[in-house]
């Protein structure tokens, strides 16, 4: 059994910093090498985090270092190719959200993991933290009664400078717009709490930004358990919030935060007549906030111990499919999309490119 993990990282941009901190916090993991297609970015990153080796490309890194796990922090368009390369070299993969640019690419990545007998862990860190685990347990145990109706909001603000980065705002390199890039976080938490989806109706909007993809979307999602959720995602909202509300037969659950949540961000309000019962719903004493740290810690522990990956890092297709269905529905004029429609979809397993309704004046 491996006693410590030799980690390598590809793509030393913004999110890579969170990975480096998570590795540094783990007692049995070391960041041994990094690479980025901008050498100066990789050099600066290696200096910042005291990483001993920098390589010009991933192939060179894999050949020289033979790492146990590779953290893929590049833009989504690069995830599939790099994941398959890493599996072929015999290492495990931790890949940032969204896991790929399309469902077909994700299928290939999962097949490559099986063929190589390696693990594919996906970073959806909103699932982590003691509050989400607690609420999920209450919902699964039926303690709050049946969940009925939900809202899921990702109202973020990304200015024109954000979309000036060459890979952003384009179907070919980002794969999708704010629904795929931002809304997927909250949708993933919603689906982590509520389970399998049943139908999706969606629309895509271009309200203000110069993007090829959408800068806002609206959708109605029903879940197999009988919940209906209204989902709004935007990159043009100055007062930012990430929020989920779930009304069950016995209570209203809410979480409001921006990029991470602790117990203070959550509340469970009893319906009339369930006030006494609500004492049993109290959040646990020990609190851990949602973050990359707990996610990577639990993934690394599982890899070191040879146990299955935690459910915070598996089922990468769940929210990705809901996002894909929003795009597929938009392409079908807002018609409902089911899991079987999506499984057999002629275009949207390969690409999310879809018509966007442009509401900018004069367009
Ligand atoms: N989980 C989260 O909260 C979170 C937050 C931000 C970004 N992300 C995701 O992380 C990924 C990266 O986002 P970012 O904001 O760090 O982007 P970024 O542009 O800041 O960094 C990407 C880095 O990858 C490098 N790169 C690009 N293509 C490459 C290639 N083919 N080979 C090697 N290096 C390459 C770039 O030079 C850059 O340094 C995206 O998938 C994004 O959606 C996740």
């Amino acid at each position: 059994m491996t006693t410590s993990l030799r980690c390598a990282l590809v793509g030393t941009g913004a999110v890579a910093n969170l990975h480096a901190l998570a590795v540094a916090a783990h007692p049995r993991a070391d960041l041994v090498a990094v690479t980025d297609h901008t050498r100066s970015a990789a050099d600066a990153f290696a200096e910042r985090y005291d990483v001993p080796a920098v390589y010009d490309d991933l192939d060179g890194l894999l050949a020289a270092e033979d790492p146990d796990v590779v953290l893929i922090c590049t833009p989504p368009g690069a995830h599939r190719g790099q994941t398959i390369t890493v599996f072929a070299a015999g290492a495990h993969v931790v890949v940032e959200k969204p896991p790929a640019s399309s469902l077909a690419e994700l299928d290939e990545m999962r097949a490559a993991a099986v063929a190589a007998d390696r693990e594919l862990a996906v970073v959806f860190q909103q699932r982590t933290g003691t509050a989400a685990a607690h609420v999920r347990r209450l919902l699964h145990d039926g303690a709050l009664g049946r969940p009925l109706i939900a809202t899921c909001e990702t109202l973020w603000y990304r200015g024109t400078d954000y979309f000036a980065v060459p890979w952003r705002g384009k179907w070919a390199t980002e794969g999708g717009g704010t629904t795929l890039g931002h809304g997927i976080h909250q949708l993933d938490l919603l689906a982590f709490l509520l389970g399998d989806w049943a139908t999706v109706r969606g629309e895509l909007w271009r309200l203000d930004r110069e993007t090829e993809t959408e800068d806002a979307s609206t959708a109605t999602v029903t879940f197999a358990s009988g919940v209906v959720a209204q989902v709004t995602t935007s990159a043009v909202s100055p007062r930012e919030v990430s929020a989920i509300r779930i009304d069950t037969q016995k209570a209203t659950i809410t979480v409001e935060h921006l990029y991470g949540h602790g117990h203070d961000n959550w509340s469970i309000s009893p319906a009339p007549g369930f006030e006494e019962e609500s004492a049993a719903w109290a959040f646990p004493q020990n609190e851990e906030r949602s973050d990359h740290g707990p996610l990577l810690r639990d993934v690394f522990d599982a890899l070191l111990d040879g146990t299955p990956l935690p459910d915070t890092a598996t089922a990468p297709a769940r929210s990705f499919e809901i996002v894909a269905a929003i795009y597929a529905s938009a392409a079908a004029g807002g018609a409902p999309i089911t899991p079987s429609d999506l499984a057999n979809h002629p275009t949207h397993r390969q690409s999310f490119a879809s018509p966007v309704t442009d509401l900018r004046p004069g367009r």
Side-chain angles (χ1 to χ4, degrees), residues 10-16 18 35-38 41 72-76 78-79 82 96-98 123-126 165 167-168 174 181 185 292:
V10 53
T12 55
V15 84
L18 303 177
T35 181
D36 191 289
H37 70 182
T38 304
I72 298 182
C73 299
T74 47
H79 291 177
Q82 290 176 339
E96 265 298 336
K97 56 58 61 178
V123 177
F124 280 119
Q125 80 274 13
Q126 300 286 328
V165 175
W167 62 271
R168 291 213 177 97
E174 198 170 13
H185 277 298
H292 277 69

Side-chain angles (χ1 to χ4, degrees), residues 31 41 67 78 95 121-122 124 126 166-167 181 188 247 289 294 332 347 352 355 359:
L31 189 53
V95 65
V122 179
F124 280 119
Q126 300 286 328
W167 62 271
D188 187 76
D247 294 316
R289 292 184 63 81
T347 54
F352 299 151
L359 293 183

Side-chain angles (χ1 to χ4, degrees), residues 103-260:
L103 292 169
E105 287 190 355
L106 181 59
D107 287 346
E108 283 185 65
M109 292 158 66
R110 296 167 89 182
V114 172
D117 194 20
R118 302 285 87 180
E119 297 290 354
L120 174 65
V122 179
V123 177
F124 280 119
Q125 80 274 13
Q126 300 286 328
R127 295 184 198 175
T128 63
T130 39
H134 176 68
V135 167
R136 190 172 189 241
R137 204 171 310 113
L138 290 176
L139 286 168
H140 280 207
D141 292 351
L144 303 176
R146 200 157 53 80
L148 305 170
I149 190 162
T151 56
C152 178
E153 294 175 333
T154 306
L155 304 178
W156 289 7
Y157 187 83
R158 295 294 180 271
T160 47
D161 53 333
Y162 176 85
F163 290 105
V165 175
W167 62 271
R168 291 213 177 97
K170 300 186 180 76
W171 296 111
T173 43
E174 198 170 13
T178 188
T179 318
L180 179 67
H182 307 145
I184 196 168
H185 277 298
Q186 244 30 237
L187 269 169
D188 187 76
L189 176 55
L190 184 77
F192 186 63
L193 297 173
L194 294 179
D196 294 335
W197 63 281
T199 63
V200 171
R201 290 176 178 80
E203 290 180 277
L204 305 177
W205 311 103
R206 192 177 301 111
L207 302 177
D208 195 53
R209 303 290 184 262
E210 281 298 331
T211 54
E212 189 187 22
T213 56
E214 82 285 3
D215 61 16
S217 69
T218 48
T220 303
V221 180
T222 65
F223 286 83
S225 57
V227 187
V228 59
Q230 206 60 39
V231 181
T232 310
T233 304
S234 149
V236 299
S237 299
R239 188 180 74 75
E240 299 183 291
V241 70
S242 310
I244 288 174
R245 170 182 171 131
I246 302 170
D247 294 316
T248 74
Q249 290 172 314
K250 296 186 183 180
T252 294
I253 305 159
T254 53
V255 55
E256 274 193 31
H257 65 111
L258 190 51
Y259 300 135

